[in-house]
Amino acid sequence: KSVMRWNRIIMITVSVSGTIYRDINCSASFDGDEGTVSGVTVNIYKNPEYYSIGTISSDGSGNYSFSKTIKENEELSIQVSAVSPSGYKSNPHTFPSDIVLKSSARSATYNIPQVPNENVGSCF
């Protein structure tokens, strides 16, 4: 007698969110008085292939959020990168790091510094 077994595929939602902030002192740390930047394009890349799996914008408070559904036994390794808006540059001391999302780590926070052009000199 044969027995059929069904493996149920369980899907989970993983997410990354954060704030795009004005890194006035180029410290790569979100100090409470620095403020946020709205309307910034945020690209989400899948690693190690490094291809785009999403593009979103920061809201009026500088916040962004991205979610994706994956199989419970999968891992999703991503990098988050902001396109510097007019009047800003990326902090030269920060580099996007890999964020691994999986069933035991379903969410991550990643704040992204943007240095106002007039403050870029404080980065060196």
Side-chain angles (χ1 to χ4, degrees), residues 19-23 28-31 34-37 111-114:
T19 302
I20 312 294
Y21 66 94
R22 292 173 44 90
D23 193 9
S29 178
F30 187 14
D31 304 318
E34 290 184 308
T36 61
V37 187
N111 296 326
I112 305 173
Q114 293 293 289

Side-chain angles (χ1 to χ4, degrees), residues 10-21:
I10 298 172
M11 304 300 285
I12 61 171
T13 300
V14 294
S15 63
V16 62
S17 60
T19 302
I20 312 294
Y21 66 94

Side-chain angles (χ1 to χ4, degrees), residues 27-78:
S27 68
S29 178
F30 187 14
D31 304 318
D33 62 342
E34 290 184 308
T36 61
V37 187
S38 62
V40 176
T41 299
V42 179
N43 294 312
I44 314 293
Y45 297 98
K46 183 179 183 313
N47 288 325
E49 301 89 350
Y50 202 73
Y51 66 84
S52 177
I53 61 170
T55 299
I56 50 180
S57 291
S58 61
D59 66 17
S61 298
N63 299 313
Y64 72 91
S65 181
F66 173 81
S67 17
K68 183 153 181 69
T69 302
I70 63 173
K71 293 177 186 171
E72 182 181 42
N73 61 348
E74 286 183 323
E75 284 187 358
L76 178 63
S77 178
I78 60 173

Side-chain angles (χ1 to χ4, degrees), residues 3-9:
V3 175
M4 289 187 95
R5 294 181 188 240
W6 297 94
N7 288 332
R8 211 172 107 210
I9 297 173

